[in-house]
Amino acid sequence: MATLNPFTYRHSLQGRNIRLFEVMPGIESSTLEIKLIEKNLEEAEFEALSYVWGEQLKRELINCNGCRLPIGSSLHEALCERRRRGSTALLWADAVCINQDNEQEKTSQVRLMRDIYARADRVIIWLGKEQTRDAAGFQLAKSLYQKCDGERYVVDRAVFDLEDFDCVSNEVPEPAFDPTWTALFEIISNPWFGRVWVLQELLVAQCSIVWRGALDFDTNTILWSAMLVARYRNLYNSFDITMDSPQTTALVARNIAASYFDYKKHGPRTLYDALSRNTGMGAADSRDRFFALAGVSAGLDAAFVDYKKTFQGVACLVGKMTLLGFPEYELGPGGAEFLAVDHNPCEHTFLIEWLAFHANPQNHELGIPSWVPDVLSAHGPGLVMTGFYHTSHLRKVRDIPRPQVRFKKGQLHLKTGDFYNRWRIPVPGNIEIMGAIFDCVRIVAGDRPRRPLRDPSASNCRPEPSMAMHKVAQYEAAMITWLSQIRLLADPTLSARGNIMAGPSFDTFWRTLVYNREQPFNHESPNRRPGARLGTSFGYWYLLKKLLTTKSWQDDFKTFAPAYNILKTLATPFEDAEGRVREARNFFVSQQDRIGWVPFRTQAGDRVGVFRGMRVPVILRSQSDRWEYIGPCYVHGLMDGEVWDLEGLQWDFLSFV
């Protein structure tokens, strides 16, 4: 192999021509050999590979047209398996078929990728080499798919359910530490599910199959099982514990699966909607976070994909599309860029609600302006504010002011296009939003204690009961201290040694802990506040924590167990409600003694404001004559439209860094 010349691409691909290759027969120990050819996309018959590039520092040399070509280890494994199976069909794989060092070719070929995967006779999803338990995991998925009638999956059903999956009636083992469930969890946590390009490759495929070494898996079955695990509490929690999921994400596979079933039923959505459904996805080139979804998003000109643009430039373009509600992108004569929307301008509403989409926007980490809605970063645990408090939920109960946005100071630069009911505008410069400041952050409390996670060194074994209970006791002691601290911050008139439930301010306190929303959330009555019974459940919730800190299970477990079970049952309503919102923000008190929850980056002195037409208040940080957008917040008593009615609000267009 060392004597072969390095492979070079002879010329750039033109028009709708693509490269394809055949994996040549050979024994397992021999150097992998491929024959690379060029064909017109419309005339070619081929298969396409969907895979993870993986670590590119580890490269394998192959023989390509008599020359040596280094490829990634993941692709090398897939091609070796293809040779072992004796597959002779032509194959398309991006790392070989696109000259990655030629920006012009890369741009033109990426624009074709949707058509490439759509025209392929079959898309092969490569999940890597087979592992010992894979067959058992897939058999479990197949059994569940049949018993639960997976073919009739309802795509519009809620993703997460507070109920437990009935393992007994479905004749499958309980998920906690079961090896077959662990095998399934490992399959759906494969790195393939975290790669953003797989969305397009999967969604447009006319036929697909999953390869795991020598095993073949049905695509629908695997994706459906990811949705099942995400939907039920016991399955979701067991996955989280078994796979040692980080605090920022859990079961990314459900996003891929949800997008797949939704696309099959509804077709392409807007780019910003597609992005929001697949946060936290990875790509070697940060621009591909956007470009990878262009082919499965509605209304985008092929010219949207342009590797001459910077990541910040693409992010700002998408940010403007999102906030303005203009999902269509066009490239006009001379390179002029336009945004468009297909409805009457008089009926248009700017979509500033997207600024409340992420609890803790990571724009400072991404290197993009603060006003760009963060539809890229993975959500942490806890509430997505627009779930409980979307402005549209108020339409039936009060008048809602229309959002106001201007593109350049003093004028809108908006005009209708040449077609009726179509609004077309040049891509604007800076964006300003009508808003007002009404308060200031005085105190931000410390972080809520984190729940104890399983020790990764324990592998998949059950934790030792005594040690696990000691960790729980330490956590509950920290929770009691933290609850006492924020209770005193909320009402300094209380005694530090007094009852946490004392005083008239207790009702406000417990409601703030659960964002003053009923659990489970009632979609028919989205503005319904929880009844007093949830406040009573708080008392049992708090007493359960006190019981666990006594460590009385060590001395008399027979006495401890009945008390624990009774308190746990009575505490469950509040535990479920608080569990849906915990660890998403920090508790705060304002200068005007309002309480609530603010993004983690919030500091004392930050301003509390509101945008016209957006129900959720926001945290802003002064930056000379402009503002840095920190994120959405919860302010108790101002979440149901009251914020727009505050006296003395001085509305003005706000500029952002």
Side-chain angles (χ1 to χ4, degrees):
M1 179 65 70
T3 61
L4 297 179
N5 293 324
F7 176 81
T8 57
Y9 295 92
R10 294 184 178 181
H11 60 268
S12 295
L13 292 169
Q14 301 297 320
R16 291 179 67 80
N17 279 9
I18 62 173
R19 296 187 186 94
L20 298 166
F21 63 89
E22 179 184 357
V23 177
M24 307 306 291
I27 61 174
E28 186 173 344
S29 59
S30 65
T31 299
L32 191 70
E33 181 180 357
I34 66 171
K35 182 180 179 182
L36 187 66
I37 62 173
E38 183 176 331
K39 279 186 172 289
N40 183 274
L41 176 59
E42 319 304 332
E43 301 170 356
E45 294 183 3
F46 63 98
E47 297 180 339
L49 187 67
S50 177
Y51 67 106
V52 176
W53 273 38
E55 179 55 65
Q56 292 300 296
L57 294 177
K58 184 180 180 182
R59 311 279 280 177
E60 302 285 348
L61 290 177
I62 66 170
N63 183 327
C64 177
N65 292 0
C67 299
R68 69 177 188 270
L69 174 67
I71 63 173
S73 57
S74 175
L75 177 57
H76 186 266
E77 290 173 356
L79 299 187
C80 285
E81 175 59 29
R82 190 170 179 83
R83 179 175 65 179
R84 190 197 67 78
R85 294 180 182 225
S87 301
T88 58
L90 291 173
L91 184 69
W92 189 92
D94 58 351
V96 172
C97 297
I98 299 176
N99 183 354
Q100 301 294 327
D101 296 324
N102 185 325
E103 291 262 304
Q104 183 177 354
E105 177 177 299
K106 185 177 176 182
T107 294
S108 64
Q109 287 289 293
V110 168
R111 291 174 179 174
L112 280 179
M113 278 178 62
R114 184 199 184 282
D115 293 345
I116 291 172
Y117 279 93
R119 289 188 63 85
D121 297 327
R122 182 174 66 163
V123 172
I124 299 168
I125 298 168
W126 174 250
L127 298 188
K129 291 182 176 180
E130 180 182 347
Q131 302 299 312
T132 306
R133 296 185 293 200
D134 288 341
F138 179 66
Q139 188 57 44
L140 173 63
K142 185 177 180 180
S143 173
L144 288 166
Y145 188 76
Q146 293 171 345
K147 292 176 179 178
C148 300
D149 199 7
E151 290 186 356
R152 296 193 175 188
Y153 173 71
V154 180
V155 67
D156 298 318
R157 183 172 174 178
V159 171
F160 186 81
D161 199 321
L162 284 173
E163 296 178 355
D164 287 342
F165 181 70
D166 187 352
C167 293
V168 175
S169 64
N170 284 291
E171 300 178 325
V172 294
E174 293 292 336
F177 306 105
D178 176 77
T180 55
W181 277 105
T182 299
L184 178 56
F185 295 158
E186 289 171 347
I187 291 172
I188 61 178
S189 61
N190 186 280
W192 181 86
F193 289 99
R195 177 176 168 265
V196 68
W197 277 111
V198 306
L199 281 157
Q200 177 174 257
E201 297 162 4
L202 172 69
L203 268 53
V204 303
Q206 54 181 311
C207 174
S208 65
I209 190 169
V210 178
W211 283 10
R212 176 73 161 169
L215 296 175
D216 290 359
F217 296 164
D218 175 67
T219 304
N220 275 25
T221 301
I222 293 297
L223 295 174
W224 176 86
S225 64
M227 295 297 295
L228 182 79
V229 171
R231 183 183 301 159
Y232 292 101
R233 178 172 54 185
N234 56 339
L235 303 184
Y236 183 93
N237 289 340
S238 293
F239 173 92
D240 225 23
I241 294 170
T242 302
M243 303 311 300
D244 294 315
S245 296
Q247 290 289 334
T248 55
T249 187
L251 197 53
V252 177
R254 78 174 180 196
N255 296 337
I256 299 277
S259 294
Y260 172 78
F261 290 115
D262 181 81
Y263 189 88
K264 296 301 181 185
K265 180 175 181 179
H266 299 293
R269 294 183 179 269
T270 64
L271 176 60
Y272 39 84
D273 191 51
L275 286 163
S276 72
R277 292 166 179 263
N278 296 281
T279 58
M281 304 294 284
D285 187 324
S286 56
R287 294 169 293 185
D288 287 341
R289 300 286 296 277
F290 303 103
F291 293 162
L293 296 178
V296 289
S297 300
L300 297 182
D301 191 297
F304 174 81
V305 176
D306 185 355
Y307 284 96
K308 294 178 182 177
K309 293 182 178 179
T310 64
F311 168 70
Q312 185 182 73
V314 181
C316 288
L317 172 62
V318 175
K320 292 166 186 176
M321 296 168 65
T322 306
L323 292 180
L324 300 179
F326 280 62
E328 300 180 25
Y329 170 86
E330 302 170 4
L331 191 65
E337 295 181 299
F338 294 89
L339 303 180
V341 61
D342 279 330
H343 62 232
N344 193 307
C346 297
E347 301 171 354
H348 187 71
T349 299
F350 296 118
L351 305 183
I352 62 172
E353 194 93 19
W354 281 103
L355 286 168
F357 173 71
H358 204 290
N360 293 277
Q362 300 298 301
N363 299 41
H364 59 295
E365 297 286 346
L366 294 168
I368 58 179
S370 69
W371 58 265
V372 176
D374 185 0
V375 289
L376 296 179
S377 303
H379 288 288
L383 170 72
V384 175
M385 192 76 80
T386 48
F388 284 175
Y389 287 106
H390 198 281
T391 304
S392 62
H393 296 334
L394 290 176
R395 285 176 181 163
K396 294 182 179 180
V397 297
R398 62 158 294 153
D399 291 333
I400 300 174
R402 289 175 66 89
Q404 294 185 23
V405 173
R406 71 180 182 188
F407 305 158
K408 289 186 178 180
K409 194 171 183 179
Q411 50 188 317
L412 291 178
H413 294 289
L414 303 182
K415 60 181 180 180
T416 57
D418 299 329
F419 304 99
Y420 182 70
N421 279 356
R422 181 172 172 78
W423 203 4
R424 184 171 179 263
I425 63 169
V427 173
N430 294 332
I431 286 181
E432 298 176 339
I433 302 174
M434 180 68 77
I437 307 299
F438 65 85
D439 208 338
C440 180
V441 176
R442 178 161 59 89
I443 300 172
V444 180
D447 294 347
R448 183 194 189 280
R450 297 284 186 179
R451 293 165 293 168
L453 296 176
R454 183 176 68 85
D455 181 0
S457 65
S459 185
N460 291 319
C461 301
R462 293 178 182 270
E464 200 278 318
S466 179
M467 181 173 292
M469 290 298 288
H470 277 289
K471 288 184 177 181
V472 170
Q474 292 172 358
Y475 162 72
E476 298 297 8
M479 274 295 297
I480 289 172
T481 300
W482 177 77
L483 286 166
S484 300
Q485 290 172 346
I486 65 172
R487 181 75 175 100
L488 290 174
L489 289 177
D491 188 351
T493 65
L494 297 175
S495 167
R497 296 181 178 275
N499 185 345
I500 196 171
M501 299 174 66
S505 63
F506 170 67
D507 186 73
T508 294
F509 178 70
W510 74 257
R511 290 180 181 278
T512 300
L513 289 180
V514 296
Y515 289 65
N516 205 24
R517 274 299 172 264
E518 190 174 57
Q519 292 292 335
F521 184 69
N522 190 324
H523 292 276
E524 298 299 322
S525 301
N527 300 308
R528 184 179 296 175
R529 301 169 184 176
R533 62 176 181 79
L534 200 59
T536 303
S537 182
F538 168 90
Y540 296 115
W541 183 72
Y542 187 75
L543 287 175
L544 179 61
K545 296 180 180 302
K546 299 279 275 189
L547 174 65
L548 289 167
T549 61
T550 65
K551 301 182 181 180
S552 56
W553 72 84
Q554 298 179 118
D555 303 321
D556 187 358
F557 187 79
K558 289 184 178 181
T559 302
F560 166 82
Y564 172 82
N565 290 331
I566 292 171
L567 285 176
K568 184 172 178 59
T569 299
L570 296 171
T572 293
F574 195 86
E575 169 66 22
D576 287 345
E578 200 267 346
R580 289 296 297 272
V581 299
R582 65 167 66 115
E583 300 173 3
R585 299 170 183 82
N586 281 334
F587 187 85
F588 91 108
V589 182
S590 78
Q591 285 188 349
Q592 298 185 32
D593 295 324
R594 297 183 175 100
I595 65 173
W597 300 96
V598 291
F600 294 132
R601 292 185 62 231
T602 304
Q603 303 171 359
D606 287 344
R607 301 299 196 267
V608 188
V610 60
F611 296 137
R612 178 167 288 172
M614 187 171 108
R615 173 186 193 170
V616 177
V618 297
I619 298 297
L620 303 172
R621 184 171 299 160
S622 178
Q623 300 285 0
S624 187
D625 60 340
R626 294 191 289 173
W627 298 94
E628 179 183 1
Y629 178 73
I630 304 299
C633 64
Y634 173 89
V635 182
H636 189 74
L638 296 181
M639 301 302 295
D640 291 324
E642 304 93 339
V643 66
W644 296 317
D645 302 327
L646 291 173
E647 293 185 6
L649 286 182
Q650 298 182 5
W651 295 98
D652 196 4
F653 281 106
L654 306 179
S655 299
F656 301 91
V657 296

